[in-house]
Amino acid sequence: EQNLKSVLKEQALKLSKEALAYINANLDYRLIPAEKAWEMNLPLPRRYEFVLMFSHGAGALAMNHFLFWSAQFNLIEYFYGGVAEVRYSNFYQRLLKENNNIVGISDTSELLYGSIENRNKLWSLMDKKVKALVLVRDPIELIKHCYGRKWGTSWAKLKEFTLKHNFEDVIKAPEPYKYDFPSTYKHLENQCFLWNTFKEHFTHLNFKYLDVREFTGSKTIKTMKKLALEFGFNIKLSTKEQENMFVKNMFAGNLHFLLPLTLKIDKIKIEFSILKKDENLLDLRKEFELKESQNQLGIYILKNDYKELLRNDKLYEKTFHYIQNFYNKLLERIKLEDELMLKPEDILEHLKKDEACRKELKEVLDYESKDLKATRPDIVASWKYYQEFEKMCENL
């Protein structure tokens, strides 16, 4: 840990007598309570490898999984996590206790941080000179992400069920999505359109922009290898594991909100969940030779429970047919939910009709995409729907 005295030398004028006493006694971070450290303007412990910044809807959840599976990175992030002082305290305590850390930042509103001064103070106390991985996406697709999902809604009637339940007992009937377009998208500056705001405040960070398309599907394996080289980590997954973990989609059809689902057979539990890496588990998709899917969907059983199941031929057969049927219906349903979701074309249609909304959004995006356009024009050029939006704005 760096020497506290030298870190605070330049800030000595701001310190209270009590804080100076800490320094003169040569006490280190671990002996200073977070509240005191905040008062002292003490930079956060520099126990993080890099910073992850992201727009909501730009694949952060998937990237977090990829980084954890690759190198057991530990993301510390507080989206809507209280005022600046509370966030500082949480960051501070976790950075001291935990290892292999990444600091995450994904909202900017001064209201959420308590004040613009406190937000800026918190950001200035993240002073380690490291790289920032900044996840971006076509802005029209980001709007679709925010307005086009049944947020937090699971289409499960039951989270736990037995062989006596049929698919319709467990899963609700599909419902059409209802969309209400707002008269402004300006509020999305806080969590979607925030790239230039970050760039202007975090001048000491080395920004690396990454578009969601670069870590979607088969491109992910190549991208993760590139990130490993650039950010200095080793991928601890076999080629086969990378194909499983990196290539499949966990957000299709609101799958993330549906899972886990647990099938109970006496004392045996079989769990439908997002893909896992666990030596004690078997994935029944492989054992039952179920069809491949592009979704991050696994069906897990403890190895000992599977042995137990094998001892009972009749129960094994019954379980096999039940899971085969349930799984196939689930894949169909994921596909249907995707089809029901809002499309980027719907957003463009709305913007075409609402000139005031269009004009305001253009101003926001012109500012927030400034650095991106200057340093990664290739990313902006690849945004199909944003390019259509720009064309639409030519006559404003």
Side-chain angles (χ1 to χ4, degrees), residues 207-299:
F207 273 50
K208 303 284 176 188
Y209 292 108
L210 184 65
D211 185 78
V212 69
R213 281 202 166 72
E214 291 303 310
F215 57 100
T216 303
S218 55
K219 284 186 179 179
T220 310
I221 296 174
K222 190 179 169 188
T223 297
M224 290 309 292
K225 282 178 182 164
K226 198 176 157 193
L227 287 180
L229 281 173
E230 216 169 339
F231 285 78
F233 62 89
N234 294 315
I235 296 176
K236 299 166 187 169
L237 291 173
S238 67
T239 308
K240 185 69 196 159
E241 284 173 330
Q242 287 181 45
E243 283 168 11
N244 256 331
M245 305 296 218
F246 290 164
V247 175
K248 297 176 189 297
N249 187 343
M250 71 174 70
F251 249 120
N254 274 5
L255 190 60
H256 177 67
F257 298 118
L258 174 70
L259 302 174
L261 297 172
T262 306
L263 170 62
K264 285 185 162 182
I265 306 163
D266 298 327
K267 289 178 182 174
I268 295 171
K269 285 184 180 181
I270 295 171
E271 189 178 85
F272 290 74
S273 84
I274 297 291
L275 293 181
K276 296 178 179 184
K277 189 176 185 245
D278 187 329
E279 297 302 317
N280 301 311
L281 297 174
L282 280 177
D283 189 341
L284 288 177
R285 291 174 311 145
K286 196 177 173 187
E287 305 306 317
F288 290 169
E289 296 179 350
L290 300 176
K291 68 178 178 189
E292 264 301 310
S293 129
Q294 284 313 299
N295 301 299
Q296 271 227 17
L297 171 60
I299 306 170

Side-chain angles (χ1 to χ4, degrees), residues 139-148 185 188 193 347 351 361:
I140 306 303
E141 289 184 335
L142 290 176
I143 295 172
K144 181 206 80 164
H145 174 85
C146 290
Y147 283 91
Y185 292 114
L188 294 183
F193 314 132
I347 307 284
L351 287 164
L361 181 63

Side-chain angles (χ1 to χ4, degrees), residues 138-141 213 344-345 348 379-391:
D138 186 321
I140 306 303
E141 289 184 335
R213 281 202 166 72
E345 290 81 1
L348 288 172
I379 289 180
V380 180
S382 76
W383 287 345
K384 176 188 166 187
Y385 300 107
Y386 175 69
Q387 297 304 329
E388 286 182 36
F389 171 72
E390 285 278 75
K391 226 174 270 176

Side-chain angles (χ1 to χ4, degrees), residues 161-167 170 263 272 317-327:
F161 53 100
T162 69
L163 294 172
K164 289 176 184 168
H165 293 100
N166 61 34
F167 184 80
V170 181
L263 170 62
F272 290 74
E317 273 301 302
K318 197 176 178 185
T319 304
F320 165 67
H321 289 298
Y322 184 91
I323 284 179
Q324 188 181 45
N325 177 54
F326 193 95
Y327 176 73

Side-chain angles (χ1 to χ4, degrees), residues 267-269 279-282 300-311:
K267 289 178 182 174
I268 295 171
K269 285 184 180 181
E279 297 302 317
N280 301 311
L281 297 174
L282 280 177
Y300 294 103
I301 185 170
L302 283 168
K303 286 177 180 174
N304 288 341
D305 284 350
Y306 186 63
K307 283 178 193 165
E308 192 67 38
L309 197 59
L310 284 171
R311 289 192 192 106

